[in-house]
Amino acid sequence: MNNHSAFDTFMRAAFGMEPGGKTCNQLETIATTLSLDRGKIAPLDRSIDQIACITRGATKLAVHASGDREQIVAFHFAGDIVSIPSDGSHIYVMTSLVETELLVFPAREFFDQASAESTMARSLFDRLPAALNRCREKAVALGRMSAHERLAGFLTGMAERVGKRVGERIVLNLPMSRQDIGDSLGMTIETVSRQLGAMRKAGLIETRGRSQIVLRDIRELAKRAGHAKQANKKPPKNFEI
Amino acid sequence: MNNHSAFDTFMRAAFGMEPGGKTCNQLETIATTLSLDRGKIAPLDRSIDQIACITRGATKLAVHASGDREQIVAFHFAGDIVSIPSDGSHIYVMTSLVETELLVFPAREFFDQASAESTMARSLFDRLPAALNRCREKAVALGRMSAHERLAGFLTGMAERVGKRVGERIVLNLPMSRQDIGDSLGMTIETVSRQLGAMRKAGLIETRGRSQIVLRDIRELAKRAGHAKQANKKPPKNFEI
DNA sequence: TGCATTCATTGATCTGGATCAAAGACCATT
DNA sequence: AATGGTCTTTGATCCAGATCAATGAATGCA
């Protein structure tokens, strides 16, 4: 369960800590390693806040609203650190999108250790505000952007995180379904599909199979992602050619 | 500009630090005190990330989307700590809602100091994830809740933060306008007004003048705030009586 | 290799909330 | 206490995206 050198390597990569230090060792004692197949709910203790570090794979963190709908709060990939609250009015559920490995810490002890180790603290003080800002950007998108703009923003965001440049184009192998994309952007799968269709017709993207999307004009996508709902009243109402 | 004892008192209240310490003194040297009249934009250096601590009053932090609309990312009251990014695709603007006083620190130096002082670091490791979670709850509301539910959530949230119990009722003296509420909840002032009207008709609230709202049935409001958009398909479509 | 099941796309219709448009209430100033 | 400007409420209409309803791939498995 605990491969010492792998743990240390991870801690160095994640927080810039020198391996074998006291903090590193103490963190290892409170860490749990989870290996999840595709589409599994991470078995987390819901009575305490947790910190998860994704070492391999991809996950979604979602709030289960009543009924059959969920709002995905964030997607996470290898190297990402995730704060998972236990309280709050909603239940948070982390689910693997592909085969995934992650380390889980009880938040209280994790932050106790981090407070005592300035290198780690400093690293977290970069990461936490960044996570907050990503969440704020998401709130702006959900509150003020049209479906088309949200999807354009999603694609450009994914391009930065998991895109592979292939010549002029950027290739995305998305681990999440249309349902996931919809649940993340606050819209239905039908709307996701329709907007992708519009972008396809406009020559901005190609879709290959269910999971691959090729971005042919990221510049235009970024432009379309940037404008607010009732922004300029001059341009026509939709983007279809 | 720098009242030493006031600064120390604030640092103790905000981060539990003993006054007069080295970190406290060093933070004081990089702090700027701002006093803002009602409705003023905080004059912040946009080239660096900033940390603001509200010592008195109330503010809104908004993203200026193109055009005439803004998305309010959060409201802040005395005691709150605000992270204000400089980068990102949008411009963040902090505006006072009433007469307000705040301390502003350059984020980099602020976190450098915090990393070295475990008491302060520990305090921030409580606050930052909490801020992230509040933002996540906002994202859930914007992505999955109806206008009625968002407003109910707003009122119950405000009740916790600034509400005063008066007998059975909770009295809110809101410092923000209907426009601000709309910009926070991703809806128009007309919709805000109509939903308040519906709650008024249902006997849940009373409005007195522009800024006072009396919550008569916080239990029912909380219930209405909790359900997701397409939750249970059995109940009727709207909440009006 | 074909079948089955799940996932994605496309079409038709409906609706919550936006937009457009007055009217009414509040507050500051004189 | 009257006035003017701002903010809020209310009403009428419109539209982006949800919902309802098939149809059409893609992937997994026998």
Side-chain angles (χ1 to χ4, degrees):
Chain A
M1 177 161 156
N2 285 325
N3 178 326
H4 182 80
S5 79
F7 186 87
D8 280 9
T9 303
F10 171 78
M11 293 306 289
R12 181 205 287 277
F15 306 113
M17 299 172 68
E18 85 278 22
K22 187 180 137 219
T23 304
C24 221
N25 289 338
Q26 295 218 321
L27 280 168
E28 195 167 1
T29 66
I30 57 169
T32 305
T33 304
L34 292 180
S35 292
L36 302 174
D37 287 338
R38 182 174 186 284
K40 297 297 176 209
I41 291 175
L44 300 173
D45 180 354
R46 250 182 228 145
S47 67
I48 55 166
D49 295 349
Q50 311 256 19
I51 301 295
C53 301
I54 315 296
T55 49
R56 194 165 61 83
T59 61
K60 61 178 179 183
L61 180 67
V63 166
H64 267 242
S66 52
D68 54 351
R69 282 282 175 131
E70 64 182 32
Q71 173 67 44
I72 292 176
V73 154
F75 294 112
H76 299 281
F77 299 95
D80 288 345
I81 292 167
V82 192
S83 152
I84 306 163
S86 60
D87 53 355
S89 47
H90 299 288
I91 296 169
Y92 286 79
V93 177
M94 171 173 265
T95 308
S96 58
L97 299 170
V98 293
E99 219 188 302
T100 297
E101 252 174 45
L102 46 98
L103 288 166
V104 183
F105 304 86
R108 184 183 187 81
E109 287 80 358
F110 181 85
F111 286 130
D112 282 345
Q113 289 298 322
S115 307
E117 166 81 38
S118 63
T119 307
M120 187 174 172
R122 195 63 189 79
S123 170
L124 286 170
F125 288 140
D126 282 334
R127 284 164 169 275
L128 285 168
L132 178 58
N133 291 337
R134 243 175 285 120
C135 188
R136 285 167 168 174
E137 298 283 328
K138 186 179 193 70
V140 173
L142 291 171
R144 286 275 167 266
M145 305 281 170
S146 69
H148 193 88
E149 293 163 329
R150 285 183 229 176
L151 198 55
F154 172 79
L155 292 176
T156 54
M158 281 299 144
E160 283 171 24
R161 295 178 77 181
V162 298
K164 270 166 266 171
R165 272 200 72 93
V166 176
E168 284 288 290
R169 298 163 161 73
I170 291 172
V171 176
L172 303 180
N173 284 296
L174 296 178
M176 71 287 285
S177 66
R178 299 283 187 275
Q179 183 68 59
D180 288 331
I181 296 172
D183 287 344
S184 170
L185 301 179
M187 59 182 86
T188 60
I189 45 170
E190 292 95 327
T191 299
V192 171
S193 193
R194 269 184 258 271
Q195 297 303 332
L196 285 177
M199 289 176 185
R200 208 184 289 123
K201 250 187 285 183
L204 297 174
I205 64 169
E206 288 165 32
T207 53
R208 292 175 185 164
R210 281 170 183 165
S211 65
Q212 191 171 91
I213 299 182
V214 179
L215 311 187
R216 300 176 44 148
D217 189 349
I218 188 130
R219 203 151 199 88
E220 175 63 18
L221 283 170
K223 215 173 87 186
R224 291 184 180 196
H227 299 309
K229 240 178 212 166
Q230 307 89 333
N232 311 316
K233 294 184 179 174
K234 302 120 202 172
K237 312 244 167 84
N238 66 49
F239 291 95
E240 303 179 31
I241 302 180
Chain B
M1 178 163 158
N2 287 328
N3 180 328
H4 182 80
S5 77
F7 186 87
D8 280 8
T9 302
F10 171 78
M11 293 306 288
R12 180 202 289 276
F15 305 111
M17 300 171 67
E18 86 277 24
K22 186 180 139 219
T23 305
C24 222
N25 289 339
Q26 295 217 318
L27 279 169
E28 193 166 3
T29 65
I30 58 169
T32 306
T33 304
L34 292 179
S35 293
L36 302 173
D37 288 338
R38 181 175 186 285
K40 298 296 176 207
I41 291 176
L44 300 174
D45 181 352
R46 252 184 226 144
S47 66
I48 56 166
D49 295 349
Q50 311 257 16
I51 301 295
C53 302
I54 314 296
T55 49
R56 193 166 61 82
T59 61
K60 61 179 177 182
L61 180 66
V63 166
H64 267 242
S66 53
D68 54 353
R69 283 280 175 133
E70 64 181 31
Q71 173 67 45
I72 292 176
V73 154
F75 294 112
H76 298 280
F77 300 96
D80 288 344
I81 293 167
V82 193
S83 151
I84 307 163
S86 59
D87 54 356
S89 48
H90 299 289
I91 296 168
Y92 286 79
V93 177
M94 170 173 265
T95 307
S96 57
L97 298 170
V98 295
E99 218 186 302
T100 297
E101 252 175 46
L102 46 98
L103 287 167
V104 182
F105 303 87
R108 185 185 188 80
E109 286 80 357
F110 181 85
F111 286 129
D112 282 344
Q113 290 297 322
S115 307
E117 166 81 36
S118 64
T119 307
M120 186 173 172
R122 196 64 190 79
S123 168
L124 286 170
F125 289 139
D126 282 334
R127 285 164 168 275
L128 284 169
L132 178 58
N133 291 337
R134 243 174 286 121
C135 188
R136 286 166 168 174
E137 298 283 328
K138 188 180 192 71
V140 174
L142 291 172
R144 287 272 167 268
M145 305 281 169
S146 70
H148 193 88
E149 292 162 330
R150 285 183 229 177
L151 199 55
F154 172 80
L155 292 175
T156 54
M158 282 297 145
E160 283 171 24
R161 295 178 78 180
V162 298
K164 271 166 264 173
R165 272 199 71 93
V166 176
E168 285 288 289
R169 298 164 162 72
I170 291 172
V171 177
L172 302 181
N173 285 297
L174 297 177
M176 71 288 286
S177 66
R178 297 284 186 274
Q179 183 68 61
D180 287 330
I181 296 172
D183 287 343
S184 170
L185 300 179
M187 59 180 86
T188 59
I189 45 170
E190 291 95 328
T191 298
V192 172
S193 191
R194 268 183 259 271
Q195 296 303 332
L196 285 176
M199 290 176 184
R200 209 182 290 122
K201 250 187 283 182
L204 297 174
I205 64 169
E206 288 166 30
T207 53
R208 292 178 185 162
R210 281 169 184 166
S211 65
Q212 191 171 92
I213 299 182
V214 180
L215 311 188
R216 300 177 45 147
D217 189 350
I218 187 131
R219 201 149 200 91
E220 175 63 18
L221 283 171
K223 215 172 85 186
R224 291 185 179 197
H227 297 311
K229 240 178 213 169
Q230 305 89 331
N232 310 319
K233 293 182 178 176
K234 304 119 205 173
K237 312 242 166 83
N238 67 49
F239 290 94
E240 301 180 31
I241 303 180

